[in-house]
Amino acid sequence: MISFLVDVWQVQAIGALYLLFIALNHILRKVAFKKNPNEEIEEDKQKKKAGFWGTVLKVELADIAFAIDSILAAVALALTLPNTPLPEIGGLDGGKFLVIFAGGLIGLIIMRFAANQFVRLLHSRPGLEIAAFMIVGWVGVKLAVYTLAHPALGVIEESFPKSPGWKITFYVVLLLIAVGGWFLSKEKEEPSSDTVI
């Protein structure tokens, strides 16, 4: 499946569009189309009415979506890496395959074991959620650039995604989003425990 993702530009294009869509959709819903508090309360009530199997289905769908995101992000990062002396796996350079495999595996582990920590962190610093989706969108841009440089399309020069200028630009912007997200997200103040009721 990984070698299929890497070799077929149409799959890469769909992956890039998917990453860009979920990033833009989430950011626009959070920033431009904010819901009023009454709508959010009503939504929470509807979610609580969902039964056990509905919750199980949602969790499993989230797992699948997160695994796809992780693999697509890892593909976008691995494709521009140089080839390694490792043997090919499924027609793909062994080193690149291991990077992509590690991305999917780490995503799965994080989803299963570190989710609570991330939820707490996002609760205390809600602005990080937007930064995280900006990173997903930026990785989508990288995958789109790689797709547009595919020999079958030739929209941009084939060597561009592997050029030092693009690589430096990508990682500098990625770092700026992460650092900016941390410093610009205000820490949510917890209600004081000594408040008189």
Side-chain angles (χ1 to χ4, degrees):
M1 182 65 173
I2 288 171
S3 14
F4 181 67
L5 280 170
V6 170
D7 290 335
V8 182
W9 71 264
Q10 291 92 337
V11 176
Q12 295 169 7
I14 291 168
L17 289 173
Y18 171 72
L19 291 176
L20 289 166
F21 170 76
I22 62 171
L24 289 172
N25 180 42
H26 183 82
I27 291 168
L28 287 174
R29 281 188 307 141
K30 281 286 186 186
V31 176
F33 306 112
K34 284 185 178 178
K35 295 179 182 173
N36 68 39
N38 292 338
E39 284 179 1
E40 286 179 3
I41 291 169
E42 192 58 40
E43 247 182 45
D44 286 344
K45 285 180 185 175
Q46 293 299 324
K47 285 178 185 174
K48 286 178 184 175
K49 286 181 184 176
F52 172 75
W53 290 111
T55 304
V56 168
L57 179 65
K58 286 178 186 176
V59 167
E60 292 311 314
L61 287 174
D63 281 351
I64 291 167
F66 196 76
I68 291 170
D69 292 353
S70 299
I71 298 239
L72 287 172
V75 165
L77 294 173
L79 288 178
T80 54
L81 295 174
N83 286 334
T84 64
L86 295 172
E88 285 191 358
I89 300 172
L92 180 65
D93 174 74
K96 292 179 182 180
F97 176 86
L98 290 175
V99 168
I100 296 168
F101 183 78
L105 187 63
I106 290 167
L108 180 66
I109 291 168
I110 287 173
M111 190 67 180
R112 287 291 179 197
F113 300 109
N116 287 340
Q117 300 302 321
F118 284 116
V119 168
R120 279 193 210 108
L121 181 62
L122 288 173
H123 183 69
S124 66
R125 287 183 173 265
L128 284 177
E129 187 177 3
I130 290 176
F133 277 94
M134 286 176 73
I135 288 173
V136 168
W138 185 237
V139 170
V141 168
K142 181 172 185 171
L143 193 55
V145 165
Y146 193 83
T147 303
L148 293 172
H150 194 279
L153 289 177
V155 175
I156 58 178
E157 202 175 312
E158 191 178 346
S159 62
F160 178 74
K162 297 178 181 179
S163 68
W166 167 244
K167 286 181 179 182
I168 290 168
T169 302
F170 175 77
Y171 287 110
V172 166
V173 171
L174 189 70
L175 188 64
L176 287 173
I177 293 170
V179 171
W182 179 262
F183 286 110
L184 295 176
S185 65
K186 296 175 184 167
E187 204 160 338
K188 196 174 180 182
E189 293 191 19
E190 297 296 325
S192 176
S193 57
D194 50 323
T195 319
V196 179
I197 298 177

